[in-house]
């Protein structure tokens, strides 16, 4: 696989959110505003690249039996580093993402990429895979958050659009809106791509 | 015996990875911890200046109480012109940290939200001036109203009653703490 | 004390349900909710892990991390404890409940990456809960998770018998169902004693 292909794979063909349906918790929880969605996406991307690179470097040293435990330690370290950096340099973002920053540790996308890609591929490719998957995740979060912020708060990136004229439907920003918007998007993608959902 | 050796080897590798991770984190923590503390200090100080603009300097007090994070005496020269209390209360998304400015006659001069994780577009609107300014001039025991606010009441934000109540609880805690502090100062 | 416990119970089950309101543990919620039986099994396994993990992490946090100023190692320490516990549960279920083991399949080891578990341990610290409160909150939150996943499984068993627009079959309709359930859970908001 070539570099561009690896990135394209993460962005579209195997998009972690819309196609693989991984990492649903942050996808639903932080997509209440574009700022949060983008911040979460980029933080996860940074963790994904770092963990993929380190795991790829160590892939021959880590014994098979303890690989999951080792991956978890490496991922948790990367997440804690990002958390410290965010707290120090972007305290406002750190605050609004709150507990969902440490919870990046248990974002299935990261462990899944470690297990299925980084543990079998050289460093360069693993870094690209991390970047592709991370951007795919970020893109998905941005799409969902733009929709939810627009309909639910009447703003985009915090800029008031129509709130003075029509009252925004705040349910879109609340929990039910998260589920329904994501369901509609995935259904729409299935319809466009022509992929038939699970048989009954 | 081979099995035992294998277990020790595997265990050692895992231990080394964990130890290296811990070392790295300790190192980075040392670098970022002071920055984080400085950020918080500057933020608190800026907020205190907006809620109690009469004061020239703030002096940290030794005060402990439930829900109270920090308390500062606001001074102009050597006179105490009021008290700033940082309090916390649980909102919809987690703890909300509020700084309340209290005048010498135990009334709110202003409030500011230091940190929160409320829902954007709903509870997060508590950071807006139209909500915060309602508290100015209120005395202890502030109530929350969903219709028209009566005496010593504030209007809840629509769709964010929990947040409105939490902020009010934090302000009331601050007023009580300030009352005690001011009583002692006299 | 009792009043406080009941209000935490109500919050964890209904008003702040871990799945329907706070979005923790969505992966197993959608993945293992096709049959009521497996949903109950999953709920029980998660409840066990969350209750024990809440106690263990409190002990480690209180007696090791806080004492030595190592709070920044919280995430690593907690996730390792959880991973160990899950391993233990997996061995236990495999040996004594093979049917459940087969039904839960890949989702059993995945309890480690169920963010409800790590989430509850971090929330315990954030809320400043003591040992008993941590244990109770962990248990109640897990019961909230179980409630949501079992209800969802009940609905999905019927959903399978209906004809759904092709592109919405499976995951998308499950998400929309969850959304409507979340509306119902919202009805409890503000309810407290």
């Amino acid at each position: 696989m070539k570099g561009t292909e690896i990135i394209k794979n993460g962005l579209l063909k195997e998009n972690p959110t819309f196609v693989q349906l991984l990492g649903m918790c942050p996808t639903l929880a932080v997509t209440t505003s574009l700022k949060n969605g983008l911040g979460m996406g980029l933080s996860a991307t940074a963790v994904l690249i770092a963990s993929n690179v380190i795991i790829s470097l160590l892939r021959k040293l880590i014994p098979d039996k303890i690989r999951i435990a080792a991956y978890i330690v490496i991922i948790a370290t990367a997440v804690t580093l990002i958390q410290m950096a965010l707290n120090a340099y972007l305290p406002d973002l750190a605050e609004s993402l709150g507990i969902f920053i440490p919870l990046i540790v248990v974002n299935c996308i990261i462990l899944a990429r470690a297990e299925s890609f980084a543990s079998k591929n050289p460093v360069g490719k693993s870094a690209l895979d991390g970047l592709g998957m991370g951007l795919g995740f970020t893109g998905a979060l941005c799409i969902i958050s733009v929709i939810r912020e627009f309909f639910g708060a009447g703003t985009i990136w915090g800029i008031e659009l129509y709130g003075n004229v029509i009252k925004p439907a705040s349910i879109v920003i609340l929990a039910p809106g998260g589920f329904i918007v994501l369901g509609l998007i995935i259904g729409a993608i299935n319809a466009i791509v022509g992929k038939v959902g699970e048989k009954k | 015996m081979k099995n035992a050796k294998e277990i020790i080897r595997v265990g050692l590798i895992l231990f080394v990875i964990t130890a290296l991770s811990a070392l790295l984190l300790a190192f980075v923590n040392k670098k970022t911890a002071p920055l984080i503390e400085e950020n918080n200090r500057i933020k608190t100080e800026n907020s205190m200046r907006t809620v109690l603009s009469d004061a020239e300097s703030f002096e940290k007090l030794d005060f402990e109480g439930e829900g109270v994070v920090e308390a500062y005496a606001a001074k102009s020269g050597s006179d105490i012109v009021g008290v700033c209390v940082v309090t916390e209360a649980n909102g919809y998304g987690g703890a909300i940290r509020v700084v309340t400015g209290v005048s010498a006659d135990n009334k709110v001069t202003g409030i500011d939200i230091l940190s929160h994780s409320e829902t954007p577009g709903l509870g997060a609107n508590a950071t807006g001036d139209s909500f915060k300014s309602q508290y100015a001039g209120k005395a202890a025991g502030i109530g929350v109203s969903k219709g028209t606010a009566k005496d010593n009441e504030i209007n809840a934000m629509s769709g964010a009653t929990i947040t409105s109540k939490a902020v009010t609880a934090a302000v009331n805690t601050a007023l009580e703490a300030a009352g005690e502090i001011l009583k002692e100062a006299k | 004390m009792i009043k406080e416990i009941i209000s935490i119970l109500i919050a964890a089950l209904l008003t702040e349900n871990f799945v329907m309101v706070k979005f923790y543990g969505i992966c197993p919620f959608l993945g293992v909710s096709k049959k009521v039986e497996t949903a109950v099994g999953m709920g029980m396994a998660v409840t066990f892990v969350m209750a024990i993990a809440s106690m263990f992490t409190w002990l480690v946090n209180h007696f090791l991390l806080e004492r030595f100023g190592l709070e920044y190692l919280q995430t690593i320490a907690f996730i390792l404890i959880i991973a160990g516990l899950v391993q233990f549960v997996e061995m236990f279920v495999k040996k004594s409940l093979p049917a459940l083991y087969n039904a839960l399949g890949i989702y059993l080891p995945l309890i480690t990456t169920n963010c409800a578990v790590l989430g509850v341990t971090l929330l315990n610290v954030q809320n400043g809960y003591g040992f008993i409160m941590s244990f109770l909150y962990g248990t109640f939150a897990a019961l909230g998770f179980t409630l949501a996943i079992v209800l969802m499984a009940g609905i999905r068993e019927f959903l399978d018998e209906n004809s759904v627009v092709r592109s919405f079959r499976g995951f998308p309709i499950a998400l929309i169902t969850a959304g409507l359930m979340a509306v119902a859970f919202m009805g409890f908001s503000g309810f407290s004693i």
Side-chain angles (χ1 to χ4, degrees):
Chain A
M1 253 202 292
K2 274 197 296 221
T4 45
E5 248 175 76
I6 296 181
I7 295 205
K8 229 170 121 185
N9 197 31
L11 271 177
L12 303 167
K13 221 172 95 201
E14 281 184 38
N15 185 292
T17 310
F18 292 146
V19 182
Q20 299 190 58
L21 311 168
L22 291 173
M24 285 294 139
C25 303
T27 305
L28 291 165
V30 304
T31 52
T32 47
S33 74
L34 183 56
K35 251 181 218 170
N36 284 356
L38 186 68
M40 168 53 79
L42 293 180
S43 311
T45 307
V47 173
L48 202 46
I49 296 174
S51 75
N52 261 10
V53 166
I54 298 169
I55 287 165
S56 171
L57 279 172
L58 298 175
R59 70 184 188 279
K60 290 190 179 115
L61 286 172
I62 299 174
D64 209 36
K65 269 186 206 152
I66 53 153
R67 64 180 199 289
I68 300 290
Y71 297 163
I72 288 177
V73 172
I74 292 166
I75 294 169
T77 310
V79 169
T80 313
L81 289 178
I82 298 283
Q83 189 182 3
M84 287 169 174
L86 283 178
N87 273 325
Y89 300 107
L90 295 168
D92 289 335
L93 181 64
E95 232 167 65
S96 60
L97 293 180
I99 194 170
F100 283 93
I101 301 173
L103 287 182
I104 297 177
V105 176
V106 286
N107 186 325
C108 333
I109 299 173
I110 295 164
L111 198 60
R113 291 330 281 173
E115 171 82 356
S116 66
F117 198 95
S119 61
K120 292 173 194 133
N121 287 289
V123 178
K125 276 186 180 172
S126 300
L128 281 179
D129 178 69
L131 182 68
M133 285 292 160
L135 291 180
F137 180 59
T138 311
L141 289 191
C142 288
I143 292 174
I144 303 168
S145 31
V146 164
I147 295 176
R148 288 182 71 188
E149 194 183 340
F150 180 77
F151 288 107
T155 59
I156 284 182
W157 198 260
I159 299 163
E160 190 80 45
L161 292 176
Y162 63 85
N164 308 325
V165 192
I166 313 163
K167 203 161 183 282
S170 49
I171 194 157
V172 184
I173 255 182
L174 294 169
F179 285 113
I180 293 173
V181 168
L182 184 61
L184 291 177
I185 294 178
I186 295 176
I189 290 178
N190 284 349
I192 294 166
V193 184
K195 187 184 139 199
V196 183
E198 271 173 73
K199 291 257 162 63
K200 44 173 161 169
Chain B
M1 276 320 279
K2 200 178 160 238
N3 202 6
K5 246 188 191 166
E6 178 66 16
I7 289 174
I8 292 172
R9 193 180 75 93
V10 167
L12 263 181
I13 292 178
L14 194 55
F15 177 75
V16 169
I17 293 177
T18 316
L20 283 178
S21 301
L23 267 180
L24 178 67
L25 288 180
F27 177 74
V28 177
N29 182 53
K30 216 167 201 167
K31 294 264 171 212
T32 53
L35 267 175
I36 295 168
E37 206 164 293
E38 181 69 8
N39 277 345
N40 287 339
R41 201 188 59 76
I42 292 174
K43 206 169 172 195
T44 313
E45 174 133 4
N46 284 342
S47 289
M48 289 197 293
R49 287 205 186 286
T50 49
V51 298
L52 232 173
S53 44
D54 295 346
E56 282 165 1
S57 65
F58 297 93
E59 193 181 297
K60 195 169 174 177
L61 297 168
D62 209 14
F63 183 86
E64 271 180 30
E66 207 183 324
V68 179
V69 184
E70 287 173 321
Y72 294 83
K75 289 184 169 172
S76 169
S78 60
D79 300 335
I80 294 186
V81 293
V83 184
C84 276
V85 192
V86 182
T87 46
E88 266 187 359
N90 270 326
Y92 186 74
I96 306 176
R97 195 172 270 210
V98 183
V99 55
T100 309
V102 184
S103 60
D105 57 352
N106 210 6
K107 288 213 169 93
V108 179
T109 57
I111 71 152
D112 201 12
I113 313 286
L114 276 181
S115 68
H116 72 92
S117 353
E118 301 305 288
T119 321
L122 290 169
N125 291 343
T127 53
D129 283 331
S130 59
F131 178 74
K132 289 190 297 190
S133 60
Q134 295 188 74
Y135 288 94
K138 301 274 192 294
I142 303 170
V144 180
S145 159
K146 286 194 197 174
T148 352
K150 290 188 281 286
D151 228 19
N152 220 33
E153 277 186 345
I154 58 114
N155 275 320
M157 292 173 284
S158 65
T161 320
I162 298 177
T163 312
S164 311
K165 279 187 180 159
V167 174
T168 308
V171 174
N172 281 332
T173 314
L175 279 167
E176 272 168 39
E180 280 176 46
I181 294 167
L182 288 166
K183 211 189 271 169
E184 263 171 48
K186 278 171 195 163
Chain C
M1 181 73 181
I2 288 178
K3 199 183 159 198
E4 202 179 340
I5 290 173
I6 295 175
S7 74
I8 288 185
L9 178 68
I10 292 174
L13 280 181
L14 301 172
T15 52
E16 287 172 27
N17 186 285
F18 250 43
V19 180
M20 304 305 331
V21 181
K22 295 193 135 187
F23 291 132
Y24 298 120
I26 302 290
C27 293
F29 171 70
L30 293 168
V32 203
S33 58
K34 282 184 194 139
K35 267 196 190 146
V36 174
E37 245 180 5
T38 36
V40 172
M42 185 68 182
M44 274 160 48
V46 168
T47 307
F48 179 78
V49 174
M50 272 170 78
I52 309 277
S54 293
M55 293 196 287
F56 269 54
T57 51
W58 187 88
L59 291 173
V60 168
N61 189 48
H62 190 75
F63 289 109
L64 285 172
L65 301 181
E66 276 183 354
R67 183 148 302 177
F68 298 107
L70 297 171
E71 283 95 339
Y72 56 88
L73 291 179
Q74 245 163 27
T75 317
I76 292 196
F78 286 11
I79 192 71
L80 280 176
I81 293 172
I82 293 167
L85 271 172
V86 171
Q87 194 90 43
F88 175 76
V89 171
E90 195 185 343
M91 285 189 320
F92 174 79
V93 174
K94 195 175 181 179
K95 253 195 183 156
S96 42
L97 302 162
L100 183 62
Y101 182 78
N102 289 332
L104 291 178
I106 182 190
Y107 285 97
L108 200 51
L110 281 183
I111 296 180
T112 308
T113 54
N114 179 341
C115 56
V117 185
L118 184 62
V120 86
T121 59
L122 292 170
L123 282 176
N124 280 333
V125 175
Q126 230 176 52
N127 294 344
Y129 287 152
F131 182 72
I132 295 173
M133 271 320 224
S134 297
F135 167 71
L136 288 176
Y137 188 60
T139 315
F140 293 163
L143 290 176
F145 172 81
T146 311
L147 177 71
I149 195 173
V150 171
L151 286 177
M152 180 70 174
I155 297 176
R156 276 180 91 176
E157 280 187 356
F158 286 103
L159 206 61
D160 268 359
E161 288 163 15
N162 290 293
S163 58
V164 176
V165 183
R166 287 191 104 186
S167 46
F168 274 83
R169 266 179 213 162
F171 218 78
I173 195 71
L175 276 168
I176 291 169
T177 312
L180 296 177
M181 280 172 71
V183 175
F185 272 85
M186 264 178 74
F188 293 112
S189 73
F191 174 57
S192 65
I193 55 162

